[in-house]
Amino acid sequence: MARFKNIDSLGALTGKRVLVRADLNVPIGTDEEGQKYVTDDTRIRSIAPTILKLIKGGAKVMVCSHFGRPKGDVIPEMSLEILAQPLSNVTGKAVVFLNEATGDGVKETLDAMEDDAILLLENLRFHEGEEANDPDFAAALAANADFFVSDAFSCSHRAHASTVGVANILPSAAGLALEKELLALEEALGSPLRPVAAVVGGAKVSSKLDVLTNLITRVDHLIIGGGMANTFLAAEGIDVGSSLCEHDLAGTARSILAKAKEIGCKIHLPSDVVAAKEFKAHAENRVTSKEDVQKDEMILDVGPASIDGIITDLKDCKTLIWNGPMGAFEIEPFDMATVKLAKAAAELTTSGQLISVAGGGDTVAALNHAKAADNFTHISTAGGAFLEWMEGKKLPGVEILKA
Ligand code: ADP
Ligand code: MG
């Protein structure tokens, strides 16, 4: 199993200046008084243990991140300054914000700052060199630090100056959150306990083709739900009525099914479905066999018999990887299959029978909705990076931290 350089491998931290790459690209809302606030501080909380460990070890910590898409311009609305107070709240430390990420000002601020304070640098993407992984920008970032620690799995699929560039220059390590994430992912798909089940759902096959083609070579059961299942059912000659469906992908879907059969990966598609004429909460609906969907009906969820069958098979599995809801979970009652499966996976995990890893923006929302997320072995809040990992791609920001 691949090993990663961790904070301990950096050696003595006393007096060292450590640049921590975080993902502070958190969702921001505006309250009634027009004040901006962080609506979900999960990503801020996730980096606190790393920061506190570094400070405890005697290091001086500076935190860098991107925020939004300023594309190399200085856009005041995309300043990281509003994250200073939330970062202070979760760490219990003073946070000094600097409206720069490089230059002598960084050194001066670090020197002047209390040892256990945190320096928050300005949005990395105010510089074009960040996304271009410009060696000069990476060198400028590295110039004010002795060590580099990445704690941003969600950014590690991008080879940017702050994910790969600085890691090429400075002694580097994975932070505690990144280390935990990498171990969980390795456990789920690198060298998993078998049988392994993968659940892939969500809206479109086209957005997850590479995920499906990689998974059939790696897992024992591939459970396809959500809008994606419609494309596969249609490819098998089923009339899916007005369902969300990518008819032009029928050939691709058939070749995935054929390949899976050849390799011995069992594909699960729904045999009964929940159908409705309108895409809205509490729309009139009925449970029907997949063969009996009417022209004006949409499949909005996996049917109860199918989801019960899937749960029975899951009970024989030791590992589960999940991306994509089973149905239109945002509108009741079309959250039924997603919630049932989530609760079953959570119970199997709690009783020690299953290792469960899930990721994806809507998937995490769906598992929270089912009140199941806390019982999963690992929930990844990374969107693109999690999918690229499911596609079997090497993530540059992870590769560079291999020991
Ligand atoms: P994730 O963000 O976890 O990767 P996706 O973005 O791929 O997941 O998919 C989530 C979306 O898929 C949800 O908005 C959900 O409503 C939609 N969806 C799931 N099943 C269906 C369906 N049968 N018909 C239409 N939309 C669906
Ligand atoms: Mg999504």
Side-chain angles (χ1 to χ4, degrees):
M1 183 181 133
R3 288 276 158 212
F4 298 92
K5 291 179 269 186
N6 61 17
I7 293 174
D8 294 333
S9 72
L10 291 171
L13 295 168
T14 317
K16 299 292 186 187
R17 301 160 304 164
V18 183
L19 178 67
V20 176
R21 175 54 156 108
D23 183 357
L24 297 179
N25 193 30
V26 294
I28 302 288
T30 311
D31 69 15
E32 286 152 13
E33 277 139 35
Q35 289 291 321
K36 287 188 178 177
Y37 71 103
V38 176
T39 56
D40 179 355
D41 69 351
T42 311
R43 283 182 174 164
I44 309 176
R45 279 186 285 115
S46 77
I47 59 163
T50 290
I51 292 175
L52 295 176
K53 182 179 166 89
L54 292 169
I55 290 176
K56 204 169 171 201
K60 274 203 151 179
V61 175
M62 60 194 129
V63 175
C64 66
S65 176
H66 72 286
F67 187 57
R69 297 175 182 273
K71 302 209 159 131
D73 291 325
V74 176
I75 299 184
E77 295 75 49
M78 294 183 192
S79 169
L80 273 171
E81 189 166 12
I82 56 163
L83 274 302
Q85 190 58 49
L87 182 59
S88 176
N89 294 346
V90 301
T91 53
K93 301 286 179 189
V95 174
V96 178
F97 172 76
L98 184 70
N99 63 354
E100 253 310 337
T102 57
D104 291 341
V106 176
K107 185 185 178 300
E108 285 156 19
T109 313
L110 269 181
D111 287 344
M113 176 178 105
E114 292 289 326
D115 280 345
D116 74 340
I118 300 162
L119 173 58
L120 176 61
L121 302 175
E122 183 56 289
N123 193 344
L124 294 162
R125 290 190 189 167
F126 284 0
H127 295 264
E128 261 175 3
E130 162 61 358
E131 289 184 83
N133 192 11
D134 172 36
D136 291 339
F137 182 61
L141 271 177
N144 292 309
D146 300 299
F147 296 144
F148 171 68
V149 169
S150 171
D151 222 10
F153 177 71
S154 49
C155 305
S156 59
H157 57 316
R158 306 272 183 243
H160 292 169
S162 68
T163 59
V164 168
V166 275
N168 272 321
I169 302 171
L170 295 174
S172 302
L176 298 173
L178 179 58
E179 197 182 5
K180 190 167 153 266
E181 180 118 27
L182 295 175
L183 289 174
L185 297 187
E186 174 67 21
E187 197 174 33
L189 207 52
S191 45
L193 290 175
R194 292 191 178 272
V196 186
V199 172
V200 184
K204 288 181 174 174
V205 172
S206 51
S207 65
K208 294 178 186 173
L209 265 182
D210 293 340
V211 171
L212 294 170
T213 42
N214 181 45
L215 286 179
I216 54 172
T217 68
R218 305 250 211 140
V219 305
D220 306 289
H221 296 270
L222 179 61
I223 297 154
I224 304 176
M228 303 188 85
N230 303 340
T231 298
F232 280 87
L233 292 176
E236 288 187 321
I238 303 281
D239 185 350
V240 296
S242 312
S243 301
L244 175 69
C245 179
E246 292 166 286
H247 291 284
D248 55 327
L249 282 180
T252 311
R254 278 194 292 270
S255 72
I256 291 173
L257 294 174
K259 182 87 192 290
K261 197 167 181 189
E262 194 185 305
I263 321 176
C265 168
K266 188 175 175 204
I267 303 268
H268 301 252
L269 281 166
S271 53
D272 66 333
V273 298
V274 184
K277 289 181 183 160
E278 289 173 287
F279 189 98
K280 67 167 200 203
H282 309 294
E284 197 180 313
N285 63 87
R286 66 186 187 108
V287 173
T288 177
S289 118
K290 65 180 178 185
E291 279 91 8
D292 190 35
V293 178
Q294 302 300 300
K295 283 267 168 283
D296 58 350
E297 285 182 321
M298 288 173 281
I299 301 173
L300 292 183
D301 201 8
V302 170
S306 299
I307 205 68
D308 287 347
I310 288 167
I311 290 169
T312 304
D313 281 329
L314 189 62
K315 287 180 180 153
D316 293 327
C317 292
K318 296 209 161 64
T319 304
L320 168 70
I321 306 151
W322 186 345
N323 170 262
M326 293 286 91
F329 76 98
E330 302 96 333
I331 49 170
E332 282 180 4
F334 309 104
D335 58 344
M336 181 275 299
T338 305
V339 169
K340 258 192 169 179
L341 185 58
K343 285 194 187 303
E347 266 172 40
L348 291 168
T349 307
T350 308
S351 68
Q353 284 168 263
L354 188 71
I355 289 167
S356 52
V357 172
D362 293 291
T363 310
V364 176
L367 297 182
N368 282 326
H369 166 73
K371 298 193 172 51
D374 289 348
N375 295 318
F376 270 57
T377 312
H378 182 73
I379 299 276
S380 178
T381 55
F386 183 79
L387 279 178
E388 288 199 20
W389 166 78
M390 273 186 111
E391 289 166 2
K393 290 196 179 133
K394 289 196 185 311
L395 311 184
V398 168
E399 291 302 304
I400 197 119
L401 301 174
K402 281 194 174 155

